[in-house]
Amino acid sequence: WWDNVVWSDDGRNNAEAETYTIVFLDAGIVTTLNDNDQQNLKDLFKAVILNNGEEAGRLMVERARYERCSQSEGGIESFSRGIGEIVAEFHDRRKQGLTLGVVRIGALLARVLELCRLHGVEIDPAMANIVMSTLVLEGLGRALEPDLNLFDIALPFVLGRGKV
């Protein structure tokens, strides 16, 4: 039972217990985007950041390798409207401050993926990796810096003025 137990006593009678946070980082997710995928991602993020969710939805359908929502009447509009609602919710939360402590990107992305599944809009494998990376980084970022403002960090990159 006492295996791997560490006990330390500095001779003082400490009434307070120290607490620590351990953050695990898995840096094993790597995605390389070709020029076309990079442009698609920038266009999509730009539409999201500019609160044009329905445009983001249309871009997702237009640039998908496979989609079936165009085969049903009003399918593209329905999908785009759904994406628009998610983006609007994202921007509503932004009013509280677009920080990792307020905005739950993972929950929003899960709703996007569910819409894609329901409407038959295929997510490119490179984009799926970006979603997974985002989920990992969201958790890490929330643990390390919950007050980090995502909008301030992302805007220069989306508008093409940021350097990686």
Side-chain angles (χ1 to χ4, degrees):
W1 186 82
W2 287 98
D3 289 348
N4 298 321
V5 173
V6 176
W7 179 261
S8 174
D9 187 357
D10 63 3
R12 293 180 285 169
N13 193 2
N14 295 328
E16 289 185 35
E18 293 185 39
T19 59
Y20 297 93
T21 301
I22 297 175
V23 177
F24 293 96
L25 173 60
D26 178 1
I29 302 173
V30 177
T31 300
T32 303
L33 300 177
N34 63 34
D35 291 341
N36 189 50
D37 288 340
Q38 284 181 22
Q39 189 60 51
N40 288 344
L41 184 63
K42 284 181 184 179
D43 292 346
L44 182 62
F45 276 3
K46 185 175 182 179
V48 169
I49 286 179
L50 297 177
N51 199 10
N52 194 347
E54 290 196 24
E55 174 66 16
R58 282 189 291 279
L59 286 170
M60 291 174 71
V61 172
E62 288 172 7
R63 297 176 181 184
R65 292 182 187 172
Y66 171 80
E67 57 81 20
R68 68 171 193 271
C69 65
S70 63
Q71 298 170 8
S72 62
E73 187 173 332
I76 295 173
E77 293 78 13
S78 176
F79 176 79
S80 297
R81 214 174 15 258
I83 296 295
E85 290 169 4
I86 294 168
V87 170
E89 181 180 327
F90 170 78
H91 281 276
D92 284 345
R93 290 184 183 177
R94 196 178 124 217
K95 294 172 188 169
Q96 302 170 28
L98 188 58
T99 64
L100 289 169
V102 173
V103 178
R104 302 290 186 211
I105 296 170
L108 296 174
L109 287 174
R111 288 175 50 202
V112 169
L113 292 175
E114 178 64 10
L115 270 176
C116 289
R117 186 188 67 76
L118 289 173
H119 290 273
V121 178
E122 183 180 87
I123 299 290
D124 180 87
M127 297 302 157
N129 272 340
I130 289 173
V131 169
M132 291 302 299
S133 298
T134 301
L135 297 175
V136 169
L137 292 174
E138 176 190 26
L140 175 66
R142 186 173 292 116
L144 296 176
E145 187 62 48
D147 296 327
L148 179 72
N149 189 309
L150 300 173
F151 193 80
D152 293 344
I153 300 297
L155 193 60
F157 293 96
V158 172
L159 297 178
R161 296 189 294 257
K163 300 284 183 213
V164 177

